[in-house]
Amino acid sequence: MSTESLFRPFSLKSLNIKNRIVMAPMTRSFSPGGVPTDQVAAYYQKRAEGEVGLILSEGTVIDRPSSSNDPNIPHFHGEQSLAGWKKVIDGVHYAGGAMAPQIWHMGIMDNHHSGWVPPVPFEGPSGLNRPGFVNGRVMTEEDIADTIAAFGRAAADAKRLGFDTVEIHGAHGYLIDQFFWNETNKRTDIWGGKTLGERTRFAVEVIKEVRQQVGEELPLIIRLSQFKPSAYTNKLAASPQELEEWVSPLVDAGVDIFHCSQRRFWEPEFEGSDLNFAGWVKKVSGKATITVGSVGLTGEFLAAFAGEASQPSSLDELLRRMDRGDFDLVAVGRPLLADPNWVKKVREGRKEELKGFTKDALAELVMG
Ligand SMILES: Cc1cc2nc3c(=O)[nH]c(=O)nc-3n(C[C@H](O)[C@H](O)[C@H](O)COP(=O)(O)O)c2cc1C
């Protein structure tokens, strides 16, 4: 099947990218003290040279004292870290690419395996990371207000440094998702609520603040997932109606693109239709969507952490859905972590040169 539809340009507001392929955000823990190094800049520049349309950075944390559980995850605040990010975006632009930071607050976390802990306890809507697991404190009104402001400052810095768009990490069981999920949001004030619609309030306020800081023209992306690493089969929205209740307030607040995280893009979201998560979100929101999850690989990413190897796989099913108009963009994670030239190889039809994925690739910043 022709891969041509992946190589159409895409434009939205001030964002112009040369193809439909997005590098998925992937934590690398190669930024000692939260500062992205020259190696990190070179790693991203290589992906831009390899023709990735839009690069999403690894999750990079906002200015709250316990927004991270790992000292080697990059910060998106502070002079030194922002100077590191400036080198990253300049390198990506030099190579003809476009990029967004994925701005992140982890919320309530497990302690890092190294024993490192942040200077103050983790914080979240109710102190819970998952049912029965408390590891931090309940956020006060003041904490919430400062966290919203810190997301806004990170977005303003992204724009000032020259990034092309901003992605807010609202997926995978981290802070924003801890507000969405009834199992981790037990609040009885305005930040909680019985319905998913009510529990979007925190995300809505973050998006409004970010929009306020970056103006109307910079597109805003939010990443969402139904699953959590602690609950693979979880459905925050159990029906298309609930999905609408979830995403409509986010649209009204200013989201332009929904990044719909799945482990396997071909899995239908609801019974009675083969539309996937990105397909449904596009249908109910009318906004552009990004699909993701095992594109070009046989196995999914959480199994990869546990050591399962994946082989290259056909793109035909992805292209069938794309040509039907289910989504606008396609994010690719592990293939780009392991091979900066994956996009170029796909465009040139060099199928036999595509690599599989093994856990070894996680241990280094693969440069070529
Ligand atoms: C090493 C690694 C780190 C990841 N870190 C993040 C992250 O920081 N933020 C995020 O939203 N997703 C993260 N993910 C999930 C990926 O963005 C992506 O959704 C997932 O790998 C599925 O895509 P793939 O099957 O193409 O690899 C990570 C995945 C991997 C493999």
Side-chain angles (χ1 to χ4, degrees), residues 135-202:
N135 192 28
R137 58 185 193 82
V138 175
M139 291 171 87
T140 63
E141 273 298 325
E142 203 184 335
D143 295 328
I144 290 176
D146 189 64
T147 303
I148 291 168
F151 270 108
R153 286 197 300 278
D157 282 333
K159 185 178 175 189
R160 183 173 55 78
L161 295 181
F163 283 88
D164 303 275
T165 164
V166 174
E167 175 164 291
I168 298 166
H169 195 347
H172 303 171
Y174 297 106
L175 182 69
I176 292 177
D177 201 15
Q178 287 168 16
F179 277 89
F180 288 143
W181 197 20
N182 63 349
E183 293 291 352
T184 45
N185 184 348
K186 303 289 184 190
R187 300 178 78 100
T188 51
D189 60 8
I190 57 162
W191 304 104
K194 283 202 170 56
T195 66
L196 181 54
E198 288 168 296
R199 295 190 304 274
T200 63
R201 181 184 283 261
F202 179 70

Side-chain angles (χ1 to χ4, degrees), residues 24-27 58-59 102 104 169 172 223 261 292-295 301 305 332-335 337 362:
M26 284 177 289
T27 295
E58 57 203 294
Q102 185 192 48
W104 190 21
H169 195 347
H172 303 171
R223 195 171 219 213
S261 175
V292 66
S294 306
V295 170
F301 82 106
F305 291 140
V332 174
R334 289 162 296 150
L337 186 152
L362 296 172

Side-chain angles (χ1 to χ4, degrees), residues 292-363:
V292 66
S294 306
V295 170
L297 286 178
T298 52
E300 61 84 38
F301 82 106
L302 293 170
F305 291 140
E308 188 185 289
S310 282
Q311 310 314 319
S313 70
S314 159
L315 295 177
D316 288 357
E317 176 59 11
L318 177 85
L319 290 160
R320 183 185 75 82
R321 289 168 182 265
M322 182 144 207
D323 290 344
R324 196 170 65 175
D326 290 9
F327 36 76
D328 303 85
L329 298 161
V330 175
V332 174
R334 289 162 296 150
L336 280 167
L337 186 152
D339 182 358
N341 294 312
W342 187 87
V343 178
K344 199 167 152 67
K345 289 177 184 172
V346 168
R347 187 177 60 74
E348 293 173 352
R350 288 151 62 194
K351 261 194 200 162
E352 63 300 333
E353 292 178 48
L354 297 176
K355 301 175 190 164
F357 185 86
T358 59
K359 210 179 160 203
D360 312 338
L362 296 172

Side-chain angles (χ1 to χ4, degrees), residues 110-125:
D110 288 278
N111 292 348
H112 194 251
H113 55 78
S114 65
W116 181 89
V117 285
V120 302
F122 295 120
E123 58 182 2

Side-chain angles (χ1 to χ4, degrees), residues 69-86:
N69 79 340
D70 176 343
N72 295 314
I73 280 179
H75 297 171
F76 211 80
H77 60 89
E79 213 175 301
Q80 270 188 302
S81 296
L82 293 176
W85 282 116
K86 178 72 181 146

